[in-house]
Amino acid sequence: MRQIRHCFLYYALLSKRFFKKFSFIILLCTVPLLVLGLKNVSAEDTGMLKILLYAEDPEDETVRELTAKMLKEDSVINYQSVEDVDTGKRMVARGEADALWIFRDDFINRAEKIISTGRKGGGVITVIEREENVAMQLARVKLFGIMYPDLSYALCKNFVKSELGIEATDEELMNYFKSSGNEEKIFNLELVEGDAAGITEKQNYLTAPLRGMLALMIILCGLAAEMYYLQDKEHGILDAFSLRRRQRSVYVYQMAAMIPVAAAIFAALYLIRDFTGVGRELLLLSLYLLDSVFFCNLVRKLFGTAGRLGAAIPILILGMLVVCPIFFYFRNLSAIQNLVPTFYYLRYSCVRLELGDIGKMLLYALIGGALDMITDWFARSRA
């Protein structure tokens, strides 16, 4: 009981010491600033492309339905309607928009004429672009997909009359066309691990990597605590402790630095609604903290001194930013990804957590703890 009380007192004193360090306060304040900044940005109209929509005939029912569908859609393309075509052209020329889509008047009749005669003529939509690139080509494919339900009847009508030679009134064809509709989905999205329930929820593409960036901050704080430990060791502050107690004290250093940041991250995930439940998030964060402790310990022992570790920290964080599935996911880097605890945390945060997943994170901690104890034993035997 006395040892536990002593450990908590040591933790409280180290936490107080860390909170007096300006660099630690800056690191801690980065969490809410990063969350609030991205939350404000994601609340605005954002998108990979900004496309302006203009209708030559504002009273055209088909065009109104098409543009309304685009404006209401949750997409990485930001659609915006303009009332004047010259204004739209100026915005594209100035770089304020990527493209202007002009929906021609008499939209359906033009489409039917093109389908029946095969002549392109002036087209049904005029596209004015700032530059041609892959994103714009994909946007036009998406445009055709949005238009297709309205053009499919014209295609069906032309096929029945021209190819099959069946004489039927427009009313008969329309009734047949509507009766043959199928509302079922062609594609059903499922995850290999877990279900796809979370995929359908609305999530801004700017805030999607936020969990990974926040998770790396725990690693950063753990490495910073290792630096403080090495500095104290070099300055003789830990000389009063035995070698065994000195080796164990590093865990208190890490917890004093990492737990406040983990608490801030827990609150941040709740604020941005990237939250899957209190129990689940606490379990994942606890396992991640445990894995990160041993990871940071082994990194400290690999570099040895505070100077070398400080020089390596930016490279390590940048490397994990690439290796872990934060912005990109590389399947051919699995051998490296399995060495980083952040990879497990991010992987299991987006699927249904099962006992096997918990077991893998615990196995990581057991292997890391075993390596940590073995290296400590070798250090004591050489002393």
Side-chain angles (χ1 to χ4, degrees):
M1 189 67 181
R2 186 178 178 182
Q3 288 182 345
I4 296 175
R5 192 184 303 115
H6 178 76
C7 186
F8 274 108
L9 179 61
Y10 191 39
Y11 172 83
L13 291 174
L14 273 177
S15 298
K16 183 179 178 181
R17 184 183 171 199
F18 283 147
F19 276 99
K20 287 185 176 181
K21 292 181 180 290
F22 183 73
S23 58
F24 184 74
I25 295 295
I26 292 295
L27 195 62
L28 198 60
C29 290
T30 305
V31 175
L33 290 175
L34 183 64
V35 172
L36 290 174
L38 284 178
K39 191 175 181 182
N40 290 334
V41 171
S42 64
E44 300 176 358
D45 290 331
T46 56
M48 295 176 62
L49 293 173
K50 183 176 181 179
I51 295 178
L52 306 177
L53 308 176
Y54 173 75
E56 290 184 346
D57 181 9
E59 302 301 322
D60 191 316
E61 188 65 27
T62 303
V63 173
R64 286 170 62 182
E65 290 178 0
L66 285 173
T67 54
K69 188 186 299 182
M70 294 180 193
L71 293 170
K72 291 179 181 178
E73 185 182 34
D74 292 329
S75 172
V76 294
I77 300 177
N78 179 22
Y79 297 106
Q80 181 180 329
S81 61
V82 290
E83 297 181 356
D84 181 57
V85 68
D86 293 328
T87 302
K89 289 179 179 179
R90 283 196 299 268
M91 290 178 68
V92 173
R94 293 172 186 169
E96 298 174 5
D98 296 287
L100 170 65
W101 291 349
I102 303 172
F103 292 82
R104 304 291 302 277
D105 56 356
D106 201 16
F107 185 85
I108 287 295
N109 289 332
R110 284 177 180 271
E112 289 182 353
K113 186 176 180 181
I114 292 171
I115 291 169
S116 60
T117 61
R119 297 178 182 177
K120 295 182 179 180
V124 293
I125 296 178
T126 301
V127 177
I128 299 175
E129 299 176 352
R130 187 160 57 93
E131 61 178 354
E132 176 68 357
N133 52 42
V134 175
M136 292 307 307
Q137 292 174 11
L138 292 174
R140 292 198 299 272
V141 172
K142 185 176 178 63
L143 171 62
F144 180 76
I146 295 172
M147 290 170 51
Y148 185 78
D150 295 286
L151 300 179
S152 56
Y153 171 68
L155 290 168
C156 176
K157 178 181 175 181
N158 179 68
F159 179 79
V160 169
K161 292 187 174 182
S162 301
E163 301 296 329
L164 301 180
I166 299 175
E167 294 296 332
T169 64
D170 289 343
E171 185 179 356
E172 290 173 339
L173 284 174
M174 180 59 74
N175 290 334
Y176 175 76
F177 180 77
K178 289 181 178 180
S179 65
S180 61
N182 189 356
E183 298 296 330
E184 294 183 5
K185 292 182 178 180
I186 298 177
F187 299 103
N188 184 28
L189 181 62
E190 291 185 3
L191 291 174
V192 174
E193 298 183 57
D195 51 43
I199 293 179
T200 58
E201 297 177 0
K202 180 181 177 183
Q203 186 179 36
N204 191 286
Y205 74 99
L206 289 174
T207 60
L210 188 57
R211 180 184 282 265
M213 294 166 67
L214 292 175
L216 284 183
M217 292 193 68
I218 292 180
I219 296 287
L220 182 61
C221 288
L223 294 173
E226 299 282 1
M227 280 189 61
Y228 294 145
Y229 170 79
L230 289 172
Q231 289 172 354
D232 288 349
K233 187 178 177 182
E234 291 169 3
H235 295 157
I237 296 175
L238 300 175
D239 287 350
F241 294 163
S242 65
L243 183 56
R244 184 185 294 273
R245 286 188 63 190
R246 201 181 308 165
Q247 290 171 340
R248 290 178 179 176
S249 65
V250 69
Y251 299 123
V252 187
Y253 273 78
Q254 289 179 307
M255 290 296 104
M258 296 165 74
I259 287 178
V261 178
I265 290 173
F266 184 83
L269 293 175
Y270 179 79
L271 287 175
I272 63 173
R273 297 182 180 180
D274 188 9
F275 208 71
T276 56
V278 175
R280 187 177 188 276
E281 292 292 344
L282 282 175
L283 178 60
L284 272 174
L285 266 177
S286 300
L287 291 171
Y288 179 55
L289 282 172
L290 187 62
D291 291 349
S292 300
V293 163
F294 297 118
F295 174 80
C296 293
N297 269 351
L298 293 172
V299 170
R300 167 180 56 86
K301 292 173 183 179
L302 180 64
F303 290 98
T305 65
R308 289 200 292 264
L309 180 59
I313 284 176
I315 300 173
L316 285 170
I317 296 298
L318 285 174
M320 285 187 283
L321 198 66
V322 174
V323 170
C324 297
I326 298 174
F327 295 101
F328 307 100
Y329 179 66
F330 301 101
R331 292 184 178 86
N332 55 350
L333 296 178
S334 58
I336 302 174
Q337 290 169 340
N338 290 329
L339 300 176
V340 183
T342 312
F343 172 74
Y344 296 97
Y345 173 72
L346 295 178
R347 181 182 178 184
Y348 300 141
S349 64
C350 61
V351 297
R352 185 175 56 230
L353 194 62
E354 298 179 355
L355 287 176
D357 304 330
I358 298 172
K360 288 177 183 178
M361 296 186 78
L362 286 173
L363 180 62
Y364 184 98
L366 287 173
I367 294 173
L371 291 173
D372 197 27
M373 290 176 61
I374 291 170
T375 51
D376 283 346
W377 182 81
F378 273 112
R380 287 195 301 269
S381 62
R382 291 182 180 180

